[in-house]
Amino acid sequence: DAGVTQSPTHLIKTRGQHVTLRCSPISGHKSVSWYQQVLGQGPQFIFQYYEKEERGRGNFPDRFSARQFPNYSSELNVNALLLGDSALYLCASSLPGPPGGYTFGSGTRLTVV
Amino acid sequence: TQLLEQSPQFLSIQEGENLTVYCNSSSVFSSLQWYRQEPGEGPVLLVTVVTGGEVKKLKRLTFQFGDARKDSSLHITAAQPGDTGLYLCAVGVSGTYKYIFGTGTRLKVLA
């Protein structure tokens, strides 16, 4: 079975540009979460979607947005990129309910120059 | 805001040594997860602990959830170079759907 797949794997963008990152969850998983991991830190929660509805949002500016499609895949969009947005963006899928635990993709490494 | 503190931040040991890393908080949690992350990859779930005092073993790794469910430890016996990575603990935030991760312990096992 395929795990969580993310694309692209690496991306270089210029300040002020827009970026779209994509994620396909494990088959049967209806929940997708997005995390940002800056070098040397643990992942920081950005969004969670379940059944195409936003279930949670972290402390990120409105430049960050996301959506989930009927097939449960998801996109993370970031507008007006800043140098500080450079990070590993992780997508995770999970089954609903506690105790939970995620299956992560390998991430998209975004570099803003 | 719940905060997870992990210690030590960095650990470099020789192959065959034992080690323990810690995850601490002032809050009580219903469950806690441990993940290992290798460079260029996403974190991989190792274990979920849910009961105070619970001990789980995964080969040479032993996980313990504190009696008060505020802390956890991960003990590795006879560490191997393949154990090298970033070890992260994570908890669900009650009333929300998000998980908080600690800052991690970066382990390097030298051959």
Side-chain angles (χ1 to χ4, degrees), chain A residues 35 37 40-43 45 48 55 57-58 88 90 99-102 104-106, chain B residues 31 33 35 37 40-43 45 48 50 86 88 97-99 101-103 106:
Chain A
Y35 282 78
Q37 187 176 24
Q41 297 184 16
F45 175 78
Q48 187 191 56
R55 287 293 187 91
R57 173 185 284 257
L88 180 67
L90 295 162
Y102 290 130
F104 281 93
S106 296
Chain B
S31 65
Q33 289 99 36
Y35 293 80
Q37 184 177 23
E41 298 293 329
L45 179 65
T48 299
V50 297
L86 178 67
L88 296 159
Y97 294 89
K98 72 176 182 180
Y99 284 81
F101 283 78
T103 52
R106 193 165 296 279

Side-chain angles (χ1 to χ4, degrees), chain A:
Chain A
D1 286 338
V4 178
T5 57
Q6 291 188 244
S7 64
T9 55
H10 296 84
L11 201 53
I12 299 176
K13 289 286 190 178
T14 304
R15 278 178 298 174
Q17 284 189 314
H18 162 89
V19 68
T20 298
L21 310 181
R22 295 178 175 82
C23 171
S24 293
I26 289 175
S27 178
H29 285 193
K30 300 179 180 179
S31 175
V32 170
S33 300
W34 288 94
Y35 282 78
Q36 181 196 65
Q37 187 176 24
V38 175
L39 198 62
Q41 297 184 16
Q44 298 291 315
F45 175 78
I46 309 176
F47 286 109
Q48 187 191 56
Y49 276 78
Y50 177 71
E51 290 277 19
K52 296 172 287 180
E53 290 189 3
E54 183 183 300
R55 287 293 187 91
R57 173 185 284 257
N59 294 326
F60 281 81
D62 291 344
R63 299 185 295 109
F64 288 75
S65 64
R67 55 179 176 168
Q68 187 176 31
F69 299 99
N71 66 353
Y72 305 113
S73 67
S74 179
E75 284 182 353
L76 175 69
N77 296 283
V78 187
N79 292 323
L81 285 166
L82 304 174
L83 295 179
D85 295 330
S86 296
L88 180 67
Y89 287 85
L90 295 162
C91 173
S93 74
S94 61
L95 294 169
Y102 290 130
T103 301
F104 281 93
S106 296
T108 294
R109 172 70 63 187
L110 172 65
T111 302
V112 182
V113 298

Side-chain angles (χ1 to χ4, degrees), chain B residues 3 5 23 28 31 38 44 53 58 71 74 85 95 98 104 110:
Chain B
L3 181 64
E5 295 183 358
C23 176
V28 176
S31 65
E38 299 184 19
V44 175
L58 184 65
D71 55 84
L74 159 58
K98 72 176 182 180
L110 304 171

Side-chain angles (χ1 to χ4, degrees), chain B residues 30-96:
Chain B
S30 57
S31 65
L32 182 145
Q33 289 99 36
W34 283 95
Y35 293 80
R36 179 171 66 214
Q37 184 177 23
E38 299 184 19
E41 298 293 329
V44 175
L45 179 65
L46 297 174
V47 76
T48 299
V49 287
V50 297
T51 305
E54 180 178 6
V55 176
K56 282 192 173 180
K57 292 192 175 184
L58 184 65
K59 297 184 181 178
R60 294 175 294 100
L61 278 60
T62 301
F63 305 85
Q64 183 161 8
F65 202 13
D67 290 341
R69 292 184 288 125
K70 292 184 178 182
D71 55 84
S72 181
S73 64
L74 159 58
H75 181 79
I76 301 179
T77 303
Q80 299 177 0
D83 296 326
T84 294
L86 178 67
Y87 288 81
L88 296 159
C89 61
V91 295
V93 178
S94 60
T96 76

